[in-house]
Amino acid sequence: MKTVIASTIILLFFLAACSLGATDSTLAPSASATSVTILSEATIVRTEVVATTTRVADATPDVATVPATSVTLEVVTPTSQVTDTTPEVAVGQATVVVATSGSGSVSVPLTSIPPNATSPPQPTPVPPTPIPTLSSGLSPTVLKYRILDEFPSMFYCDPDYYPIQQGDEMALALQRFPELQANQEEFQAILEHSGLSGLTTFSDEQKLLIYREHKRLAAVRFEPSGDVYLFELQIEESARQGSFIKGFIDGSGAITVQERQAIYLVCPICLAAQTVIDTPDGQVPVEALREGDAVWTVDSTGARVAATLIRTGSAFVPADHQMVHVVLSDGRELWASPGHPTADGRVMADLKTGDLLDGSTIAFLEQVTYDQPATYDILPSGATGLYWANGILMGSTLFQAQTG
């Protein structure tokens, strides 16, 4: 077990002024992770270790100040208490010793980062399991590459930049690389496609290349259905104009297109489905509006006036796309992507409880996972591009694209 645990623990220690304490932890049977993460001078943010037969559960201590040179991390296995988990911390070097009942111990080096270093970026979540394979034929990733060869101008929104920027792409690539390697089916297909087959060590630039290929492949919606895969993607045909493609591919790589729909290409910084827009004819769901329809907008003097929709847009989103849910003190509420603009030039991700939005105080704010396949936006004619969504005056991403 010693070698298994050693190979699955990833430790990150960031030396800066911070704090730590200890609390009990219980094992969630469905939990799955492969890392121990320590940030900011022994603040344990999340602690999970997965071995072949023993899983160390999540342990998140309460906050209490401790010396910079020592910290005790307590974790629990399904059958036994971890008897000794004491990282001895010193600038430039550190070691964590994990001893489990009847299993010996293992020492894992802990990397120290200078106090003035930038805090590590948060990675884009990795799908929990690889795509199931068909009973016969080519592997899922090879088939995805067949689709990308058929539609080389695929349009997608990089999840590290939309709906908001997640951090430095190179840093994210290096952080994610062990997880990408763990999905050997996809990893080996990327190596072959990228001319890197046979390599066992990789430069930072090669890791970035592999990470970018992973993101591109993830943009193809892919789902097994009987003896084929159903797929969806968007392709770019001219500036911001393209098509939504839907079809299936069999195990031999034969592609059948079932649907091809003209769309305006925009990244998902838009409104949730079923958001209602104020129009002279009453409130209408945003996804039902079309170019030429009438909506209410605001002119350059601030007056409410009728306008014609000059553009509508939708963007297909990944399964883990996040939306900001905001509730105002007067009862109005809205779901929109973190990057969607407000009427006063902010974006949804900037909002905080207690802020004003369209003349009312924000009473509640949260980020939630979006359960619909697409987000939507509209652009009224006029000088501002503003409109009312669920009764809240908002900006338009399409207006920003047009003026930017």
Side-chain angles (χ1 to χ4, degrees):
M1 179 182 298
K2 293 195 333 188
T3 56
V4 175
I5 296 178
S7 65
T8 56
I9 299 178
I10 305 171
L11 292 173
L12 174 61
F13 183 79
F14 179 74
L15 294 176
C18 200
S19 54
L20 173 71
T23 188
D24 290 336
S25 172
T26 55
L27 177 66
S30 61
S32 176
T34 57
S35 68
V36 176
T37 304
I38 300 179
L39 301 177
S40 303
E41 193 187 12
T43 296
I44 298 175
V45 177
R46 172 175 154 209
T47 308
E48 292 177 333
V49 180
V50 174
T52 302
T53 57
T54 302
R55 180 183 301 154
V56 177
D58 182 74
T60 306
D62 294 328
V63 174
T65 301
V66 297
T69 57
S70 177
V71 56
T72 298
L73 162 64
E74 292 188 357
V75 289
V76 179
T77 71
T79 57
S80 63
Q81 178 79 26
V82 173
T83 57
D84 182 11
T85 57
T86 307
E88 294 298 335
V89 178
V91 175
Q93 65 178 14
T95 300
V96 58
V97 178
V98 179
T100 60
S101 300
S103 304
S105 64
V106 57
S107 296
V108 181
L110 193 64
T111 302
S112 295
I113 299 177
N116 61 349
T118 302
S119 181
Q122 295 299 312
T124 306
V126 178
T129 57
I131 300 170
T133 58
L134 301 178
S135 57
S136 62
L138 301 171
S139 71
T141 304
V142 171
L143 292 173
K144 277 193 175 185
Y145 272 126
R146 293 287 181 94
I147 293 171
L148 293 176
D149 289 341
E150 180 72 16
F151 304 104
S153 60
M154 183 186 71
F155 174 88
Y156 78 102
C157 302
D158 192 322
D160 288 338
Y161 297 95
Y162 293 95
I164 56 175
Q165 185 167 345
Q166 301 296 317
D168 178 74
E169 189 183 25
M170 176 64 84
L172 292 168
L174 300 181
Q175 188 174 354
R176 288 283 303 280
F177 193 71
E179 300 172 40
L180 301 183
Q181 281 184 304
N183 182 358
Q184 278 293 301
E185 184 275 320
E186 181 189 80
F187 189 74
Q188 293 301 324
I190 291 175
L191 294 188
E192 182 176 354
H193 185 268
S194 305
L196 302 176
S197 294
L199 295 183
T200 56
T201 59
F202 304 89
S203 67
D204 288 354
E205 290 71 20
Q206 289 169 333
K207 291 178 180 180
L208 179 59
L209 171 64
I210 292 167
Y211 180 55
R212 286 174 172 170
E213 282 298 294
H214 162 77
K215 291 189 289 184
R216 193 166 73 101
L217 289 164
V220 181
R221 285 178 170 264
F222 216 59
E223 179 182 349
S225 178
D227 57 355
V228 300
Y229 289 106
L230 306 179
F231 71 87
E232 296 177 2
L233 77 163
Q234 299 175 95
I235 61 171
E236 186 170 14
E237 294 163 336
S238 60
R240 296 195 174 272
Q241 301 293 326
S243 293
F244 165 69
I245 307 292
K246 183 176 181 179
F248 62 85
I249 183 170
D250 65 22
S252 69
I255 296 171
T256 299
V257 174
Q258 297 172 298
E259 180 182 339
R260 188 177 186 123
Q261 176 185 345
I263 58 172
Y264 182 79
L265 299 172
V266 61
C267 284
I269 51 175
C270 309
L271 304 173
Q274 300 303 313
T275 300
V276 292
I277 306 300
D278 288 0
T279 81
D281 297 320
Q283 293 186 322
V284 179
V286 62
E287 64 269 29
L289 291 169
R290 299 292 183 266
E291 293 180 12
D293 289 348
V295 299
W296 291 114
T297 188
V298 173
D299 67 15
S300 57
T301 69
R304 178 181 173 107
V305 296
T308 299
L309 285 185
I310 58 176
R311 184 166 292 163
T312 62
S314 64
F316 293 94
V317 299
D320 57 1
H321 182 66
Q322 297 294 297
M323 300 289 272
V324 176
H325 174 212
V326 60
V327 181
L328 304 184
S329 58
D330 59 14
R332 290 176 292 167
E333 64 180 326
L334 181 68
W335 288 261
S337 297
H340 193 92
T342 63
D344 58 9
R346 294 172 293 172
V347 294
M348 293 290 285
D350 294 337
L351 302 179
K352 302 183 298 294
T353 302
D355 286 352
L356 286 177
L357 180 63
D358 194 26
S360 185
T361 302
I362 296 174
F364 177 77
L365 191 81
E366 64 176 343
Q367 282 209 17
V368 296
T369 301
Y370 187 49
D371 62 357
Q372 298 296 315
T375 59
Y376 302 85
D377 206 359
I378 58 172
L379 178 60
S381 59
T384 67
L386 303 181
Y387 57 84
W388 279 268
N390 285 359
I392 300 173
L393 188 64
M394 295 295 291
S396 170
T397 58
L398 302 177
F399 183 78
Q400 291 182 328
Q402 175 178 271
T403 58

